[in-house]
Amino acid sequence: MSKCEQCIIRQFNSLKALTKDELLRISACKTSRIIKKGEVIFEEGESLNGLFCIKDGVCKLTKLSANGKDQIIKLVEKGQILGQRSLISDERTNLRATALNDMELCFIPKAEIIDDLKKNNNFTMDMLKEMADDLREADDFIVNMAQKSVRQRLAEALLNINENFGTNPDGTLSVLLSREDFASIVGTATESAIRVLSQFKKEGLISALGKHIKIEDLEGLKRVE
Amino acid sequence: MSKCEQCIIRQFNSLKALTKDELLRISACKTSRIIKKGEVIFEEGESLNGLFCIKDGVCKLTKLSANGKDQIIKLVEKGQILGQRSLISDERTNLRATALNDMELCFIPKAEIIDDLKKNNNFTMDMLKEMADDLREADDFIVNMAQKSVRQRLAEALLNINENFGTNPDGTLSVLLSREDFASIVGTATESAIRVLSQFKKEGLISALGKHIKIEDLEGLKRVE
DNA sequence: ATTAAAATATGATAATTGTCATGTTTTAAT
DNA sequence: ATTAAAACATGACAATTATCATATTTTAAT
């Protein structure tokens, strides 16, 4: 199995703060997992017993609401870590993680990470910083949800996906989402999401061939009211 | 000026993880501030240069949305800390803090706290835990905003305030909020918040004399659809 | 105590969004 | 290649929520 020390992925998350020795220990106890598109990585309410480091692929973090609909809280991609919150709070997960495409994950057992958190303050501080960033993002998300129309929220969702996950060579968004997923990001009915996307298409803001969506007028999308 | 070491407030937040020596140092450099009801403690986008520890009173954390309306993200009370997120990210604040009643605050300069974070891992871990909890709360908030009706959100807001901030001897909620504040918590128009509260009153779920609101039927409020 | 300003209340109406029905297209399994 | 299932699309209508207008009550300043 490959060594964490040589893994480029590590540079993009808190694990970069670990020392060589710590990385060697983690390499020795980590396990690797392949997850197929659509598969659930962990369920809401599950005990994780460790962290996942995403080596490849993208997944969605969702929470089931009382009315039975899933809400997408966040999309997480290659280089990022899953399960920090439950690890730190020592609680079951509050979200479900589902693969949006085929994924490769490394699993690091809880005991090792906790040990590092206690001994390596740089690591703890780095994780604290990441969590502080997540919290700011969550604040922004709350305001968007509370104060903007479905049309505005969907425009923002497209812009965010474009900004954070980039595009394929043909200009289409690299993350493929169903209309239901879009609805689940902006918190609306699937039909409403479909209607707004169709409208964006008519207005020339985007083009769409099935799930392959391309932003045609970035500035126009930003101006959506 | 009173000593942090003897301050009971400290028991309720991360500062409890500090050592006696650290507390003495903080006592020596902290300043105290009295804030009147309605006054702004800090603005969105301000540089804080430290932490506030709330000795008494309650404040709201709001974020201005693009449409010009304020969204209340969180209510924070006696015993809690303000400014952790911007301290840790070393960024300007993303929220404005406004006193909801007369408050007493202690201000601890950034340099002291950063020093403690670097040296005392228990303190860092404790702060990390608090932030992880905040993040879970934010996730729940997002789902509520995205998936529930104004009526449901307002019912939940009342239940949360009742649970987290308690009641006066006469049974009224101890935190006094204007109808506009309620609207700003659930993300709706002030008129809508007023209408729903009037409806709750008619249905006997609450009674209200101006801002003094009393939950009359807790179970009923929980059942609101 | 008086008075202006702010907060609360309610009606009327418009705009947004959800739900249900139904048809078409795409996808995936055999 | 065929076919069943899932995803996408759109119309019709209902429900929810926002906006505007206006009145009343409460609050705070003089």
Side-chain angles (χ1 to χ4, degrees), chain A residues 149-150 188-189 191-192 195:
Chain A
S149 67
V150 169
T188 190
E191 296 96 323
S192 296
R195 258 181 260 267

Side-chain angles (χ1 to χ4, degrees), chain A residues 184-197:
Chain A
S184 176
I185 291 174
V186 302
T188 190
T190 305
E191 296 96 323
S192 296
I194 289 173
R195 258 181 260 267
V196 174
L197 284 175

Side-chain angles (χ1 to χ4, degrees), chain B residues 1-11 15 20-30 32 53 55 106 108:
Chain B
M1 191 176 297
S2 60
K3 300 239 172 82
C4 294
E5 202 187 334
Q6 287 146 19
C7 181
I8 357 154
I9 286 305
R10 178 172 58 84
Q11 298 308 322
L15 301 179
K20 276 194 181 181
D21 279 359
E22 287 165 340
L23 284 170
L24 280 176
R25 266 199 302 123
I26 281 179
S27 268
C29 68
K30 79 166 203 288
S32 198
C53 179
K55 214 166 167 186
C106 289
I108 307 167

